[in-house]
Amino acid sequence: MRETHSVKDKIKQLSIILIPILVTQLGMFAMNFFDTIMSGKYSPIDLAGVAIGSSLWVPVFTGLSGILLAVTPIVAQLIGGGNKKDVPHTVLQGVYAAIALSLFVMIIGAFVLNPILNGMNIETQVRTVAKDYLIALSFGMIPLFIYNVLRSFIDALGMTRVTMFITLLSLPINVVFNYLLIFGKLGFPALGGVGAGYASAITYWVITLIAFWVVHTKRPFNQYFIFKTIHKPDLSKWKELFQIGVPIGLSIFFEVSIFSAVTLLMSNYDTVVIAAHQAAINFASFLYMIPLSISMALTIVVGFEVGAKRLRDAKIYSWMGVSFALLLAVIYGVILLVFRSEISYLYSDDAYVLELTAHFLLYAVFFQLSDAIQAPVQGALRGYKDVNITFMMALISYWVIGLPLGYVLANYTAFGPYGYWLGLTSGLTAGAITLSARLLFIQNKYRKQYSLIKQ
């Protein structure tokens, strides 16, 4: 990355960083996307089972991966401030933390998975698919978390195209193994939705091995000698990672888990409603990769500019990203509104599932607009390393406002299951407003601090 002097240069630099991140995020999400649609083609029971399994896995994965995202602003500010010698130690400790978090999740999961699934009002076959899908995914958990650390390091250097190519290489592997293991081709057993879990685990190992090879052998990454000296775990560095990463992870967890909580609450409805809801959420989450990618790009460029004490540039980048995300949200919101029935055909051939999915997608149009504001704003705040208050705002917006309101609308009004989606929209809107106010406050605070230092 480099210093920019005009809005045109900033748009160019942001685009150079953003586009590969977007392709990477879409590619990573495409694994879950293909899991869902290919499982749905196998049977509605497998679609519902993968939906329940994903609703438990995705918030855990994204929340803990959010903790590891602390590597990005730390490394970006180190490079922006000219302290490159401290980068290898930070990345290596991030890898250790990733392994520890993976083992922690697997141990806890072994104890709580059965009680959680047994407590849900779902069909026995759906419960079995969900459990076996999660067990299959767990075989790829350690490499997936390590990959997130290596990716954060690569992205923090502004070399986001590298992770894009890694992800694009992995996609065909995921689709091929999905085809073989879900439908039982070329002598493989037909595992249904469970096969999608094993296919994803295999893919996670592949992308991690590729990322390790790139970091170890290719410029400019090998100039940092990340794995040349293997240090012991450093708890003081873990503390720094967790002080920044835990609030980031919790913020992401509270946002993502509210969608999963709604899916779990949907278990009171029949399998067809669960399948339609999951299909709609899956496509809406696919679109969410756009503001999420802008958010990740803003963390890099804002962190770089703050590290170099160029606060005006950091502010311009922040609001440029928000504006771009909002413009795109309006465009794909119109597309979703017009083509929601056609989109439903991606997920099922069942007439009732298609009808319900199209209705759910209508509500998705509205919360995409709020997502387009709150996600980039959070990314900018992370670039400033402002994470604690952001976490509290996310908690209140999603769990104190969004979910309770959705529950009331779903259970005590005529909206039925659609009430949850109205609640989600309300929570996201509250988050967009409060987080935007926080960003304005932080930018003003930094401006005053540096003005005093110059005096």
Tab-separated table of all heavy atoms in Angstrom, residues 79-120:
chain	number	residue	atom	x	y	z
A	79	ILE	N	2.917	-1.905	9.904
A	79	ILE	CA	3.523	-1.578	8.606
A	79	ILE	C	3.396	-0.088	8.323
A	79	ILE	O	4.335	0.564	7.863
A	79	ILE	CB	2.859	-2.404	7.494
A	79	ILE	CG1	3.183	-3.894	7.689
A	79	ILE	CG2	3.337	-1.947	6.117
A	79	ILE	CD1	2.424	-4.816	6.770
A	80	GLY	N	2.211	0.488	8.600
A	80	GLY	CA	2.007	1.922	8.401
A	80	GLY	C	2.952	2.757	9.241
A	80	GLY	O	3.403	3.827	8.815
A	81	GLY	N	3.280	2.265	10.443
A	81	GLY	CA	4.194	2.986	11.335
A	81	GLY	C	5.649	2.627	11.142
A	81	GLY	O	6.518	3.120	11.875
A	82	GLY	N	5.950	1.733	10.182
A	82	GLY	CA	7.337	1.374	9.896
A	82	GLY	C	7.955	0.364	10.843
A	82	GLY	O	9.187	0.252	10.928
A	83	ASN	N	7.129	-0.420	11.570
A	83	ASN	CA	7.643	-1.401	12.540
A	83	ASN	C	7.508	-2.829	12.001
A	83	ASN	O	6.869	-3.701	12.612
A	83	ASN	CB	6.888	-1.275	13.870
A	83	ASN	CG	7.051	0.097	14.497
A	83	ASN	OD1	8.165	0.631	14.537
A	83	ASN	ND2	5.963	0.670	14.967
A	84	LYS	N	8.122	-3.087	10.866
A	84	LYS	CA	7.951	-4.374	10.192
A	84	LYS	C	8.566	-5.537	10.967
A	84	LYS	O	8.144	-6.686	10.819
A	84	LYS	CB	8.556	-4.302	8.792
A	84	LYS	CG	7.844	-3.328	7.861
A	84	LYS	CD	8.442	-3.358	6.462
A	84	LYS	CE	7.706	-2.403	5.538
A	84	LYS	NZ	8.263	-2.428	4.156
A	85	LYS	N	9.573	-5.261	11.793
A	85	LYS	CA	10.263	-6.343	12.494
A	85	LYS	C	9.369	-7.064	13.498
A	85	LYS	O	9.651	-8.209	13.895
A	85	LYS	CB	11.498	-5.792	13.209
A	85	LYS	CG	11.203	-4.850	14.361
A	85	LYS	CD	12.481	-4.341	14.998
A	85	LYS	CE	12.193	-3.495	16.240
A	85	LYS	NZ	11.343	-2.323	15.949
A	86	ASP	N	8.282	-6.408	13.932
A	86	ASP	CA	7.382	-7.013	14.913
A	86	ASP	C	6.281	-7.859	14.269
A	86	ASP	O	5.509	-8.517	14.969
A	86	ASP	CB	6.722	-5.918	15.766
A	86	ASP	CG	7.737	-5.172	16.616
A	86	ASP	OD1	8.737	-5.800	17.018
A	86	ASP	OD2	7.529	-3.965	16.872
A	87	VAL	N	6.218	-7.834	12.939
A	87	VAL	CA	5.138	-8.547	12.246
A	87	VAL	C	5.224	-10.065	12.394
A	87	VAL	O	4.212	-10.713	12.695
A	87	VAL	CB	5.112	-8.148	10.751
A	87	VAL	CG1	4.155	-9.047	9.965
A	87	VAL	CG2	4.706	-6.681	10.605
A	88	PRO	N	6.397	-10.710	12.190
A	88	PRO	CA	6.452	-12.174	12.260
A	88	PRO	C	5.962	-12.738	13.584
A	88	PRO	O	5.234	-13.737	13.612
A	88	PRO	CB	7.941	-12.489	12.051
A	88	PRO	CG	8.480	-11.314	11.313
A	88	PRO	CD	7.716	-10.138	11.824
A	89	HIS	N	6.362	-12.113	14.682
A	89	HIS	CA	5.956	-12.600	16.000
A	89	HIS	C	4.442	-12.528	16.159
A	89	HIS	O	3.820	-13.463	16.690
A	89	HIS	CB	6.643	-11.768	17.081
A	89	HIS	CG	6.451	-12.300	18.470
A	89	HIS	ND1	6.851	-13.564	18.843
A	89	HIS	CD2	5.863	-11.744	19.564
A	89	HIS	CE1	6.547	-13.761	20.113
A	89	HIS	NE2	5.942	-12.677	20.567
A	90	THR	N	3.842	-11.448	15.672
A	90	THR	CA	2.383	-11.294	15.766
A	90	THR	C	1.663	-12.395	14.994
A	90	THR	O	0.705	-12.997	15.496
A	90	THR	CB	1.962	-9.914	15.210
A	90	THR	OG1	2.547	-8.888	16.004
A	90	THR	CG2	0.444	-9.769	15.221
A	91	VAL	N	2.114	-12.670	13.785
A	91	VAL	CA	1.450	-13.677	12.948
A	91	VAL	C	1.597	-15.070	13.543
A	91	VAL	O	0.627	-15.847	13.599
A	91	VAL	CB	2.014	-13.645	11.509
A	91	VAL	CG1	1.393	-14.753	10.660
A	91	VAL	CG2	1.762	-12.288	10.870
A	92	LEU	N	2.808	-15.412	13.991
A	92	LEU	CA	3.037	-16.740	14.552
A	92	LEU	C	2.193	-16.970	15.800
A	92	LEU	O	1.613	-18.053	15.993
A	92	LEU	CB	4.524	-16.922	14.870
A	92	LEU	CG	4.952	-18.336	15.286
A	92	LEU	CD1	4.641	-19.339	14.183
A	92	LEU	CD2	6.438	-18.366	15.634
A	93	GLN	N	2.095	-15.950	16.648
A	93	GLN	CA	1.257	-16.088	17.841
A	93	GLN	C	-0.219	-16.205	17.461
A	93	GLN	O	-1.002	-16.872	18.144
A	93	GLN	CB	1.474	-14.896	18.777
A	93	GLN	CG	2.881	-14.814	19.356
A	93	GLN	CD	3.314	-16.095	20.063
A	93	GLN	OE1	2.550	-16.667	20.829
A	93	GLN	NE2	4.545	-16.533	19.801
A	94	GLY	N	-0.593	-15.559	16.348
A	94	GLY	CA	-1.959	-15.705	15.847
A	94	GLY	C	-2.250	-17.143	15.434
A	94	GLY	O	-3.352	-17.668	15.664
A	95	VAL	N	-1.266	-17.811	14.824
A	95	VAL	CA	-1.419	-19.218	14.435
A	95	VAL	C	-1.606	-20.086	15.677
A	95	VAL	O	-2.476	-20.970	15.715
A	95	VAL	CB	-0.200	-19.698	13.621
A	95	VAL	CG1	-0.244	-21.213	13.417
A	95	VAL	CG2	-0.161	-18.987	12.275
A	96	TYR	N	-0.785	-19.843	16.708
A	96	TYR	CA	-0.946	-20.594	17.953
A	96	TYR	C	-2.335	-20.391	18.546
A	96	TYR	O	-2.978	-21.341	19.017
A	96	TYR	CB	0.110	-20.150	18.978
A	96	TYR	CG	1.532	-20.540	18.650
A	96	TYR	CD1	2.608	-19.784	19.099
A	96	TYR	CD2	1.807	-21.679	17.889
A	96	TYR	CE1	3.914	-20.137	18.815
A	96	TYR	CE2	3.117	-22.040	17.599
A	96	TYR	CZ	4.166	-21.268	18.065
A	96	TYR	OH	5.463	-21.618	17.773
A	97	ALA	N	-2.785	-19.140	18.543
A	97	ALA	CA	-4.110	-18.831	19.088
A	97	ALA	C	-5.203	-19.532	18.280
A	97	ALA	O	-6.201	-20.008	18.842
A	97	ALA	CB	-4.341	-17.319	19.091
A	98	ALA	N	-5.004	-19.633	16.951
A	98	ALA	CA	-5.984	-20.305	16.100
A	98	ALA	C	-6.106	-21.783	16.455
A	98	ALA	O	-7.215	-22.334	16.529
A	98	ALA	CB	-5.581	-20.151	14.631
A	99	ILE	N	-4.974	-22.431	16.690
A	99	ILE	CA	-4.996	-23.851	17.064
A	99	ILE	C	-5.686	-24.032	18.409
A	99	ILE	O	-6.511	-24.940	18.588
A	99	ILE	CB	-3.558	-24.403	17.105
A	99	ILE	CG1	-2.938	-24.359	15.703
A	99	ILE	CG2	-3.546	-25.830	17.660
A	99	ILE	CD1	-1.449	-24.688	15.671
A	100	ALA	N	-5.368	-23.150	19.360
A	100	ALA	CA	-5.977	-23.247	20.688
A	100	ALA	C	-7.490	-23.060	20.620
A	100	ALA	O	-8.253	-23.801	21.266
A	100	ALA	CB	-5.357	-22.206	21.618
A	101	LEU	N	-7.945	-22.081	19.839
A	101	LEU	CA	-9.382	-21.839	19.699
A	101	LEU	C	-10.085	-23.026	19.039
A	101	LEU	O	-11.194	-23.399	19.434
A	101	LEU	CB	-9.627	-20.572	18.883
A	101	LEU	CG	-9.326	-19.240	19.585
A	101	LEU	CD1	-9.421	-18.085	18.586
A	101	LEU	CD2	-10.279	-19.013	20.742
A	102	SER	N	-9.435	-23.630	18.042
A	102	SER	CA	-10.021	-24.784	17.356
A	102	SER	C	-10.229	-25.944	18.322
A	102	SER	O	-11.309	-26.563	18.358
A	102	SER	CB	-9.115	-25.240	16.205
A	102	SER	OG	-8.854	-24.201	15.306
A	103	LEU	N	-9.198	-26.250	19.101
A	103	LEU	CA	-9.300	-27.345	20.063
A	103	LEU	C	-10.367	-27.053	21.116
A	103	LEU	O	-11.123	-27.952	21.523
A	103	LEU	CB	-7.942	-27.580	20.732
A	103	LEU	CG	-6.823	-28.066	19.802
A	103	LEU	CD1	-5.487	-28.104	20.541
A	103	LEU	CD2	-7.153	-29.445	19.233
A	104	PHE	N	-10.451	-25.791	21.530
A	104	PHE	CA	-11.450	-25.389	22.518
A	104	PHE	C	-12.868	-25.632	21.979
A	104	PHE	O	-13.722	-26.189	22.684
A	104	PHE	CB	-11.258	-23.911	22.865
A	104	PHE	CG	-12.328	-23.346	23.760
A	104	PHE	CD1	-12.342	-23.630	25.110
A	104	PHE	CD2	-13.315	-22.520	23.246
A	104	PHE	CE1	-13.322	-23.112	25.941
A	104	PHE	CE2	-14.301	-21.990	24.052
A	104	PHE	CZ	-14.306	-22.288	25.410
A	105	VAL	N	-13.109	-25.241	20.732
A	105	VAL	CA	-14.433	-25.418	20.123
A	105	VAL	C	-14.790	-26.894	20.005
A	105	VAL	O	-15.927	-27.304	20.301
A	105	VAL	CB	-14.489	-24.746	18.729
A	105	VAL	CG1	-15.782	-25.114	18.007
A	105	VAL	CG2	-14.377	-23.245	18.861
A	106	MET	N	-13.824	-27.720	19.588
A	106	MET	CA	-14.102	-29.144	19.418
A	106	MET	C	-14.409	-29.834	20.752
A	106	MET	O	-15.287	-30.687	20.835
A	106	MET	CB	-12.935	-29.827	18.706
A	106	MET	CG	-12.858	-29.481	17.220
A	106	MET	SD	-11.663	-30.479	16.295
A	106	MET	CE	-10.143	-29.666	16.741
A	107	ILE	N	-13.693	-29.446	21.804
A	107	ILE	CA	-13.937	-30.038	23.120
A	107	ILE	C	-15.312	-29.642	23.642
A	107	ILE	O	-16.095	-30.484	24.106
A	107	ILE	CB	-12.832	-29.609	24.118
A	107	ILE	CG1	-11.496	-30.242	23.720
A	107	ILE	CG2	-13.207	-30.011	25.545
A	107	ILE	CD1	-10.298	-29.702	24.484
A	108	ILE	N	-15.639	-28.345	23.542
A	108	ILE	CA	-16.953	-27.879	23.997
A	108	ILE	C	-18.065	-28.512	23.163
A	108	ILE	O	-19.093	-28.957	23.690
A	108	ILE	CB	-17.043	-26.337	23.914
A	108	ILE	CG1	-16.035	-25.694	24.865
A	108	ILE	CG2	-18.458	-25.861	24.231
A	108	ILE	CD1	-16.252	-26.018	26.331
A	109	GLY	N	-17.839	-28.583	21.841
A	109	GLY	CA	-18.841	-29.161	20.951
A	109	GLY	C	-19.163	-30.606	21.275
A	109	GLY	O	-20.316	-31.048	21.157
A	110	ALA	N	-18.146	-31.362	21.698
A	110	ALA	CA	-18.357	-32.769	22.029
A	110	ALA	C	-19.343	-32.929	23.184
A	110	ALA	O	-20.062	-33.935	23.277
A	110	ALA	CB	-17.022	-33.422	22.384
A	111	PHE	N	-19.393	-31.934	24.071
A	111	PHE	CA	-20.272	-32.016	25.234
A	111	PHE	C	-21.664	-31.426	24.998
A	111	PHE	O	-22.649	-31.895	25.565
A	111	PHE	CB	-19.627	-31.306	26.435
A	111	PHE	CG	-18.462	-32.044	27.028
A	111	PHE	CD1	-17.161	-31.684	26.711
A	111	PHE	CD2	-18.658	-33.131	27.883
A	111	PHE	CE1	-16.076	-32.373	27.241
A	111	PHE	CE2	-17.582	-33.822	28.416
A	111	PHE	CZ	-16.288	-33.445	28.102
A	112	VAL	N	-21.754	-30.391	24.165
A	112	VAL	CA	-23.023	-29.649	24.075
A	112	VAL	C	-23.846	-29.941	22.825
A	112	VAL	O	-25.025	-29.584	22.770
A	112	VAL	CB	-22.766	-28.118	24.154
A	112	VAL	CG1	-22.006	-27.756	25.419
A	112	VAL	CG2	-22.026	-27.607	22.920
A	113	LEU	N	-23.237	-30.593	21.803
A	113	LEU	CA	-23.952	-30.764	20.535
A	113	LEU	C	-25.234	-31.588	20.695
A	113	LEU	O	-26.310	-31.166	20.256
A	113	LEU	CB	-23.037	-31.420	19.493
A	113	LEU	CG	-23.649	-31.625	18.097
A	113	LEU	CD1	-24.164	-30.309	17.531
A	113	LEU	CD2	-22.639	-32.264	17.152
A	114	ASN	N	-25.131	-32.739	21.321
A	114	ASN	CA	-26.322	-33.585	21.479
A	114	ASN	C	-27.430	-32.916	22.294
A	114	ASN	O	-28.593	-32.930	21.880
A	114	ASN	CB	-25.941	-34.928	22.105
A	114	ASN	CG	-25.419	-35.910	21.075
A	114	ASN	OD1	-25.808	-35.871	19.907
A	114	ASN	ND2	-24.518	-36.797	21.489
A	115	PRO	N	-27.110	-32.312	23.457
A	115	PRO	CA	-28.174	-31.643	24.214
A	115	PRO	C	-28.870	-30.530	23.434
A	115	PRO	O	-30.087	-30.365	23.528
A	115	PRO	CB	-27.429	-31.081	25.438
A	115	PRO	CG	-26.247	-31.973	25.604
A	115	PRO	CD	-25.844	-32.356	24.218
A	116	ILE	N	-28.101	-29.761	22.638
A	116	ILE	CA	-28.704	-28.669	21.855
A	116	ILE	C	-29.656	-29.230	20.808
A	116	ILE	O	-30.800	-28.781	20.682
A	116	ILE	CB	-27.605	-27.816	21.181
A	116	ILE	CG1	-26.839	-27.001	22.226
A	116	ILE	CG2	-28.221	-26.864	20.147
A	116	ILE	CD1	-25.656	-26.242	21.663
A	117	LEU	N	-29.191	-30.225	20.053
A	117	LEU	CA	-30.033	-30.796	19.002
A	117	LEU	C	-31.243	-31.529	19.571
A	117	LEU	O	-32.348	-31.452	19.018
A	117	LEU	CB	-29.204	-31.749	18.127
A	117	LEU	CG	-28.141	-31.094	17.240
A	117	LEU	CD1	-27.298	-32.150	16.538
A	117	LEU	CD2	-28.780	-30.164	16.207
A	118	ASN	N	-31.050	-32.222	20.686
A	118	ASN	CA	-32.174	-32.951	21.300
A	118	ASN	C	-33.217	-32.001	21.871
A	118	ASN	O	-34.386	-32.367	22.024
A	118	ASN	CB	-31.661	-33.883	22.406
A	118	ASN	CG	-30.869	-35.056	21.845
A	118	ASN	OD1	-31.071	-35.463	20.707
A	118	ASN	ND2	-29.959	-35.591	22.653
A	119	GLY	N	-32.802	-30.789	22.186
A	119	GLY	CA	-33.740	-29.805	22.724
A	119	GLY	C	-34.537	-29.073	21.664
A	119	GLY	O	-35.417	-28.265	21.988
A	120	MET	N	-34.241	-29.361	20.393
A	120	MET	CA	-34.938	-28.681	19.307
A	120	MET	C	-36.106	-29.527	18.801
A	120	MET	O	-36.022	-30.753	18.743
A	120	MET	CB	-33.961	-28.396	18.161
A	120	MET	CG	-32.841	-27.441	18.544
A	120	MET	SD	-31.576	-27.287	17.260
A	120	MET	CE	-32.537	-26.588	15.949
